[in-house]
Amino acid sequence: MFARFALPFGPKSIAPGLLLCLAVTGAAYALQAGEVALLGKAWIEALVMAILAGALVRSLWTPGERWHQGIQFSAKTLLEIAVVLLGASVSAATILAAGWALLLGIVIVVGIAIAASFAIGWMLGLPTRMALLVACGNSICGNSAIAAVAPVIGADGDDVAASIAFTAVLGVIVVLALPFIGMALGLHEHGYGAFAGLTVYAVPQVIAAAAPMGAIAVQMGTLVKLVRVLMLGPVCVTLALLAPRLAPRSEPADAVIAGEAPSGKIPPLSKLVPWFILGFLAMVALRSLGLIPEALLAPLATLATFLTIVSMAALGLGVDVRTVAKAGGPVTATVVLSLVLLGAISFALLVAIGFA
């Protein structure tokens, strides 16, 4: 497992981008403190402020190559560590509170959402592979799912870029809008957390979207989201079996993401079950067994929150709102309609099991 931390770059190469992310994080904390001083309460917390501040910087200035490794390190490695640490705040009681009905419902929602999203893309005229990418990204875990599925079905670089371009921006919009949707629907902490986990694309975005509703919402949202992520394995296996039956490409798939498995082959286990999910589950087990001292729980939670905010700053720095125009009308319509449908299916599940 420790080999997963072996970085292809050194501290000096990540320093510029990491310092930039820390600067954006500091600005986010300062803005939150300003809110508290002026309004008596942080209506927009530092998690969301970091996204907005990062996106603002990215819109005004495009970081050069020397910044990229540090931003990538902050967005990926620091986030993965934060997710593992977050496991210390989730006990078996939280999982039992979710109930088997919700856990089974997550599987059903993902299956329905993939099929429905693919149908929407197909009806709007998207190529088969792009429709599959959008469907899997929308239904499972956004860009991570797109990157994992692309080599399995033989999608090329243009398909991947078009699919990722809009989901990256839409994911941030969902994070900002979801708390207002949750309040309008009258969801409580458990229900809203589950709703965020069912609908938001990436783990850090779930944490940011759930944070305004409190710690319980964050715990529930993270748990539900990680169950969704685990669905990536079965989906990739299924698509690998179906890949030979897909219609032939009109051009050679010479732009498949570098380093991935060839088309139609199942990715290695490390790509289907990321190490940080195993780490998260291990921390949950340690917490449930009482092996994590109570005195460490608060510091671990604080560190997890800080690292998450840094990763959110990196996420904002990687979002260029101008990429929406490049995604194209059919892709945009497919992603938006699929997300609305996913939200409707998720809310119906929560109503059915008494979470709403």
Side-chain angles (χ1 to χ4, degrees):
M1 177 182 294
F2 294 104
R4 301 287 295 171
F5 286 99
L7 299 174
F9 38 78
K12 290 184 178 180
S13 61
I14 68 172
L18 176 59
L19 291 174
L20 176 61
C21 293
L22 290 173
V24 173
T25 299
Y29 274 115
L31 290 171
Q32 177 180 273
E35 280 188 283
V36 174
L38 294 174
L39 306 175
K41 179 181 178 180
W43 293 96
I44 303 177
E45 299 193 2
L47 277 164
V48 179
M49 284 291 191
I51 303 176
L52 295 175
L56 177 61
V57 172
R58 177 66 176 82
S59 298
L60 298 175
W61 167 66
T62 301
E65 185 66 30
R66 67 188 296 261
W67 308 90
H68 289 177
Q69 291 182 347
I71 294 174
Q72 180 183 2
F73 172 80
S74 301
K76 186 177 187 297
T77 304
L78 293 186
L79 167 64
E80 292 172 346
I81 295 172
V83 171
V84 172
L85 295 178
L86 189 62
S89 66
V90 180
S91 65
T94 303
I95 298 175
L96 293 175
W100 288 107
L102 175 59
L103 298 179
L104 178 60
I106 296 170
V107 177
I108 295 173
V109 166
V110 170
I112 294 175
I114 289 176
S117 297
F118 174 75
I120 291 172
W122 181 77
M123 288 187 292
L124 290 175
L126 292 186
T128 300
R129 287 172 177 80
M130 185 180 291
L132 282 173
L133 290 178
V134 171
C136 292
N138 177 75
S139 306
I140 304 176
C141 51
N143 296 348
S144 298
I146 292 171
V149 168
V152 175
I153 63 175
D156 68 15
D158 290 340
D159 293 339
V160 175
S163 301
I164 286 178
F166 192 77
T167 56
V169 177
L170 187 62
V172 175
I173 295 174
V174 171
V175 168
L176 300 176
L178 203 67
F180 299 100
I181 296 174
M183 288 187 288
L185 295 175
L187 294 173
H188 52 72
E189 284 183 307
H190 280 91
Y192 176 74
F195 187 61
L198 284 165
T199 55
V200 179
Y201 291 141
V203 175
Q205 294 172 347
V206 170
I207 297 172
M213 294 293 282
I216 293 177
V218 171
Q219 294 171 17
M220 182 62 69
T222 303
L223 174 64
V224 171
K225 178 59 190 176
L226 292 182
V227 174
R228 271 178 76 196
V229 174
L230 288 173
M231 289 295 294
L232 184 58
V235 169
C236 282
V237 171
T238 302
L239 291 177
L241 297 175
L242 295 176
R245 302 182 181 181
L246 294 178
R249 299 191 55 83
S250 57
E251 68 280 345
D254 55 359
V256 175
I257 298 177
E260 299 288 349
S263 174
K265 292 189 178 181
I266 302 171
L269 182 62
S270 61
K271 292 188 178 297
L272 299 181
V273 184
W275 75 270
F276 64 88
I277 293 183
L278 299 178
F280 174 88
L281 295 176
M283 292 292 279
V284 171
L286 292 174
R287 168 71 187 278
S288 301
L289 294 172
L291 298 178
I292 299 178
E294 289 290 330
L296 287 180
L297 294 180
L300 287 175
T302 300
L303 179 58
T305 299
F306 174 75
L307 293 178
T308 302
I309 294 175
V310 176
S311 71
M312 296 308 288
L315 175 67
L317 288 168
V319 172
D320 185 354
V321 294
R322 291 166 292 192
T323 58
V324 175
K326 300 178 182 178
V331 177
T332 301
T334 300
V335 174
V336 172
L337 291 176
S338 298
L339 183 60
V340 171
L341 180 62
L342 176 62
I345 297 172
S346 300
F347 183 68
L349 169 66
L350 297 178
V351 171
I353 64 177
F355 266 57

